[in-house]
Amino acid sequence: MNSSDYNSFPEEPVDLTPKTIKRVEKGVASAKDSAVRQTTSEILHRLEAMAEGHPETRVHATIRRCVVRSLIHTLFRVQVENQDKIPKQPAIIAANHLHHLDPLLLLGELPTYPHYYLLGDARTLYNKFWKRWLLRLVGGVIPLERTWREEVAVIEAAKAGRQDLLELAKAIENNVPTGKDIQTLRQIDRIVLGILSQGDGLVLFPEGRLGTVEGQLHPLKRGTVTYALRAGVPIVPVALIGTHHLYLGKKLTVRFGEPLYFPPTSRIKRQEVDAAVEKLQNAMINLLPDNYQEPQCEKVFSNLFNYK
C-alpha cells in the first residue's frame, strides 16, 4: 500500500460552523485593515525590486535566527532532527502546516546560509500588531493575498440561498483579493524565482492550508514542485510535530528528511509535476508520526497560544 493511502486524506467540504464563520469575519476585517494592506504592499514592492536586481535591505540571517529562536525556545521545548540533511545550496523547504507559529519555528531552526524566505498568507501573517512588528524586524517574508477556502464556501452558500451569509459574502467579494489574477501570479513568480536564482532559499507549506490532525497531510498543491523544477533546486521535506495545539513548555519536533532532487526543465509537463508531487508527499508522510499522542498534562496558556 502507498503510504499516502493512510496518512493523507481527501479534501473535505467546509463545514460552515459558527466558529468557521467567525474566522471568516476576522479574515475580512484583516483584509479591510489599512495596516495589513500597507504592510503587504510595501513588502511586495520591495521584494519585486530585489528580484529585479536591486539589493534588499534586510536584517542579517544570524540576527533573525537569534531573535526568533530565542522567542520560540523561551516558550517551548524544541527538538530538531536530521538538520544536517539541509543542503548548503539554495533549496525549497517543504513542511506540513498545523499552526500559525510554524513559520517562526522553522525560521528559528534553519541555517543562516542560504538566507531563507517564507511564502505565507498576508492576512494571517500581519493580522496582529506584534506579528507585523516581528516580521518587519526579521524580514524574509513573501506575503500572499488570496481568498481562503472558507470564504469561497461562504460565497457559494450565499448563492445557494443562505440569506444569513449574504452580507458577509458581499464583504468578501468587495474586500478580499482572490490572488488568482494574472498580474498577482506573475508578481509572485518573479519574486520567488528571483530569490532562488540569486542563491537564497524558500520555505513553503505545500498543503496550502492549515492541517487539522497531527500526523496527517492534506493533498499537496503543485506550486512547490513547479518552482523546484523551474529553478532547478532540491526540495527538503520537513515534518513539524506537536504544533497543532500549543501550550507553554510543550515539546515541538522539527524533523528534516533527505533532499529530493529533480531534473530542471523550462517546459514542465503535467505528468512530471504529478510524479514529483507524489514523491514529495510520500517523503513528508514518512517523516510524520504514525500514532501521535497528545500529552496529558496541564496546558498552561493554551487559550492564548491557540487563539486564531
Side-chain angles (χ1 to χ4, degrees):
M1 177 183 290
N2 190 303
S3 60
S4 63
D5 291 338
Y6 55 85
N7 282 86
S8 64
F9 44 89
E11 289 286 346
E12 71 276 13
V14 175
D15 187 8
L16 292 177
T17 63
K19 183 178 179 180
T20 302
I21 294 172
K22 187 68 175 177
R23 180 174 186 267
V24 171
E25 290 171 344
K26 290 179 179 179
V28 173
S30 293
K32 293 180 179 179
D33 190 329
S34 60
V36 174
R37 293 199 307 269
Q38 182 178 350
T39 302
T40 303
S41 177
E42 288 178 357
I43 291 178
L44 285 174
H45 179 75
R46 190 175 69 198
L47 289 171
E48 190 161 26
M50 179 204 67
E52 293 172 354
H54 301 282
E56 183 197 16
T57 302
R58 68 189 186 194
V59 69
H60 193 280
T62 303
I63 298 175
R64 180 180 73 173
R65 186 174 190 266
C66 181
V67 170
V68 176
R69 198 167 188 271
S70 297
L71 172 65
I72 299 297
H73 282 239
T74 299
L75 300 173
F76 310 103
R77 295 180 295 121
V78 181
Q79 176 177 306
V80 182
E81 299 177 3
N82 308 322
Q83 195 171 20
D84 59 325
K85 303 289 187 185
I86 305 174
K88 299 188 183 303
Q89 67 190 90
I92 294 176
I93 305 295
N96 61 312
H97 198 8
L98 294 165
H99 195 281
H100 298 314
L101 190 79
D102 293 344
L104 295 179
L105 175 61
L106 277 170
L107 289 180
E109 303 304 332
L110 287 170
T112 57
Y113 181 84
H115 189 98
Y116 279 92
Y117 285 79
L118 168 73
L119 193 68
D121 182 82
R123 287 181 287 160
T124 299
L125 292 168
Y126 301 138
N127 62 349
K128 303 291 182 184
F129 168 78
W130 67 269
K131 290 183 183 179
R132 292 193 293 273
W133 174 82
L134 180 61
L135 291 173
R136 278 183 178 275
L137 175 66
V138 302
V141 173
I142 308 168
L144 288 177
E145 296 182 287
R146 59 185 179 183
T147 306
W148 299 343
R149 63 192 297 269
E150 295 92 340
E151 292 169 334
V152 173
V154 166
I155 293 172
E156 291 175 349
K159 290 179 179 178
R162 284 281 301 269
Q163 297 295 314
D164 59 315
L165 296 178
L166 286 175
E167 185 175 344
L168 181 56
K170 184 176 180 180
I172 294 168
E173 292 177 326
N174 290 340
N175 295 282
V176 180
T178 65
K180 296 181 179 179
D181 60 282
I182 295 299
Q183 183 178 356
T184 297
L185 293 173
R186 287 178 176 172
Q187 181 186 42
I188 296 300
D189 266 8
R190 287 194 298 271
I191 291 172
V192 168
L193 295 175
I195 284 170
L196 294 172
S197 67
Q198 69 184 16
D200 291 324
L202 197 65
V203 177
L204 297 177
F205 298 99
E207 291 171 279
R209 56 174 293 196
L210 284 174
T212 55
V213 181
E214 289 275 2
Q216 293 187 343
L217 284 178
H218 290 288
L220 305 188
K221 307 297 184 184
R222 297 185 179 89
T224 300
V225 165
T226 301
Y227 285 135
L229 292 174
R230 291 173 64 187
V233 300
I235 302 176
V236 182
V238 182
L240 301 180
I241 304 166
T243 67
H244 182 251
H245 187 81
L246 297 178
Y247 52 85
L248 185 65
K250 187 177 186 184
K251 178 183 175 181
L252 310 178
T253 301
V254 182
R255 182 177 294 159
F256 294 95
E258 292 286 349
L260 304 177
Y261 293 87
F262 305 98
T265 176
S266 58
R267 301 187 67 180
I268 301 174
K269 297 179 180 179
R270 176 66 176 267
Q271 57 266 35
E272 292 175 333
V273 173
D274 289 345
V277 168
E278 182 178 3
K279 186 175 181 181
L280 172 60
Q281 179 152 312
N282 288 338
M284 293 175 67
I285 287 170
N286 289 335
L287 294 171
L288 292 169
D290 290 328
N291 56 346
Y292 178 84
Q293 299 294 319
E294 188 68 28
Q296 299 300 312
C297 61
E298 183 181 2
K299 296 175 171 56
V300 181
F301 294 146
S302 173
N303 291 338
L304 175 64
F305 289 128
N306 299 292
Y307 177 79
K308 300 179 177 64

